[in-house]
Amino acid sequence: IFTVMRSVNQSVSRRSWRRIIKYLLLGATALFIVFTLTAWIVFEKKNQWLLQELQTSVNESLSGQVKIRSMELSLFKSFRGVTVVFDSISFYERHDSIRAVTERPILYAEKLFIALDLISLMNDELNISEISLSDAEFTIVEYQQGVLNLDRALAPPVKIKPKIAVQSISPKPSSSSPVKKGAKPKPKTVSRQPAGKAQVDLENIELSNVTLNWRAYHSKMQSSIVVQDLETEFEKEGDVIIVNVALRSQVNALYVNRTSLPSGALNIQTDLQFNQKAKQLIIQDSEISFSGYTLLLTGTYDHLKNRKLDLTVDASSNDLKMISAILR
């Protein structure tokens, strides 16, 4: 009798577990379908607005110009939000009206992924949480000491005041209607259209197959580094931003202080803390390995105190002649 009852209980428990798992799978499938349909409907309605909002907000606030060929929705890259895929991104130093035909873009990317919050998007707001860039080329040129093409592109646009012709205006005849004492003129009401809001609350930045080109001032040679993988995670605690960086790259050509360094693998692993209020950057337990050489870095950078950099470098296990050429 006990054996029969035990087998019956086991069969009932198995059926119960199967039923629970079945309901969970059905619920997860239904939730995914609802999310997919909602995201698709929202994106279809906001497609043109989103593309125009991004390009307008950037181009009106910078001297440079962003061009985007097209955009599409990706529903499977980020489940908690909507991921928008941009094709053929170009960022120029100048706008079309003053840019030379032969000018190369500062940044060109085949694909740019941006994760947006779905609820904010429904309310005509842009909340960017993740950025991923792949198959891109980034070119930096130093025109003079400390002045880069990127600085000029990111600078606020120069506003040209229109010339106003001065005309003589004859005084208007006074109104014949009596004016009541104590009466105040009614203020004119100005109707304003609600503008879309855009904010960046980054949690992660990823780079894949991105070429970085750099040419210093008074140098004809160009350094070139291919970033194979870069993962940057952000976490905010009050006024402090915690950043974790993991870089894997390949150096094709590198010139430091007019010294040509050998090509090789460049890997960086670092933990940073940036205090927004004090404008202080803390470098914690950072390791840089390049072509068989390893550097251990710790220190601080105070932006408000005469931009003071206090850095400790441990390179005791390497060839000091090579390290001195880099740090000179």
Side-chain angles (χ1 to χ4, degrees):
I1 295 175
F2 288 108
T3 303
V4 173
M5 292 180 62
R6 185 180 301 172
S7 62
V8 171
N9 290 333
Q10 289 179 353
S11 62
V12 172
S13 61
R14 289 175 183 174
R15 287 197 299 267
S16 300
W17 277 110
R18 289 177 182 174
R19 188 178 302 171
I20 293 174
I21 294 175
K22 180 180 179 180
Y23 289 154
L24 288 176
L25 291 176
L26 289 175
T29 303
L31 180 61
F32 179 76
I33 292 175
V34 170
F35 170 79
T36 302
L37 292 177
T38 304
W40 182 261
I41 293 172
V42 171
F43 181 80
E44 285 298 319
K45 292 183 178 180
K46 306 291 184 179
N47 191 345
Q48 294 299 325
W49 169 84
L50 179 60
L51 182 59
Q52 183 178 0
E53 178 71 17
L54 285 175
Q55 292 188 100
T56 302
S57 60
V58 172
N59 294 333
E60 288 184 351
S61 59
L62 303 178
S63 295
Q65 183 179 18
V66 173
K67 285 188 173 184
I68 304 174
R69 185 178 67 182
S70 62
M71 57 183 291
E72 59 184 272
L73 178 66
S74 176
L75 300 175
F76 304 101
K77 188 173 178 63
S78 177
F79 180 75
R80 53 184 179 172
V82 177
T83 301
V84 183
V85 184
F86 298 93
D87 294 326
S88 298
I89 309 296
S90 298
F91 179 46
Y92 292 91
E93 179 184 343
R94 304 174 182 88
H95 284 257
D96 284 335
S97 57
I98 58 175
R99 185 173 67 242
V101 180
T102 57
E103 181 178 324
R104 295 182 59 187
I106 297 177
L107 171 64
Y108 175 79
E110 289 288 342
K111 295 289 184 181
L112 173 63
F113 302 88
I114 296 181
L116 305 174
D117 181 66
L118 181 60
I119 303 300
S120 300
L121 188 59
M122 291 180 180
N123 298 326
D124 290 349
E125 297 178 356
L126 298 179
N127 190 349
I128 301 174
S129 59
E130 297 181 15
I131 296 177
S132 178
L133 190 67
S134 63
D135 300 328
E137 185 174 6
F138 194 65
T139 302
I140 297 296
V141 178
E142 187 179 27
Y143 293 124
Q144 58 188 41
Q145 198 69 33
V147 179
L148 310 177
N149 58 346
L150 184 61
D151 295 330
R152 294 183 179 180
L154 296 179
V158 179
K159 296 182 179 180
I160 301 176
K161 296 182 179 180
K163 296 182 180 180
I164 302 176
V166 180
Q167 298 179 354
S168 60
I169 303 174
S170 58
K172 295 183 179 180
S174 58
S175 176
S176 58
S177 59
V179 180
K180 297 181 180 180
K181 294 183 178 180
K184 296 182 179 180
K186 295 182 179 180
K188 297 182 179 179
T189 58
V190 179
S191 60
R192 296 181 178 179
Q193 298 292 335
K197 299 178 181 179
Q199 63 179 10
V200 178
D201 189 12
L202 282 179
E203 299 176 1
N204 189 17
I205 294 179
E206 296 181 359
L207 301 181
S208 176
N209 191 26
V210 177
T211 301
L212 303 177
N213 300 320
W214 159 263
R215 184 171 61 83
Y217 182 55
H218 283 325
S219 176
K220 297 181 180 179
M221 308 303 295
Q222 177 178 269
S223 300
S224 180
I225 301 175
V226 178
V227 177
Q228 299 165 339
D229 293 296
L230 172 65
E231 293 186 4
T232 305
E233 297 181 354
F234 299 87
E235 183 179 354
K236 190 173 182 180
E237 295 182 358
D239 294 330
V240 179
I241 300 177
I242 303 173
V243 184
N244 300 320
V245 180
L247 169 68
R248 186 172 63 91
S249 63
Q250 176 68 30
V251 176
N252 295 330
L254 183 60
Y255 299 91
V256 178
N257 295 324
R258 299 182 180 180
T259 302
S260 176
L261 302 182
S263 59
L266 173 62
N267 300 322
I268 298 176
Q269 182 73 43
T270 181
D271 295 329
L272 308 173
Q273 291 186 3
F274 179 68
N275 191 317
Q276 293 178 296
K277 188 175 182 180
K279 301 298 182 182
Q280 183 186 58
L281 177 66
I282 301 176
I283 306 172
Q284 297 179 332
D285 301 330
S286 299
E287 180 178 336
I288 301 176
S289 61
F290 170 58
S291 188
Y293 299 92
T294 302
L295 297 177
L296 301 179
L297 304 177
T298 56
T300 58
Y301 170 72
D302 293 313
H303 190 72
L304 296 181
K305 296 180 180 179
N306 297 324
R307 300 184 179 182
K308 181 180 178 182
L309 176 63
D310 185 6
L311 192 64
T312 301
V313 181
D314 183 4
S316 57
S317 61
N318 302 282
D319 184 4
L320 297 181
K321 181 178 180 182
M322 177 68 181
I323 301 300
S324 62
I326 300 176
L327 298 179
R328 184 172 55 196

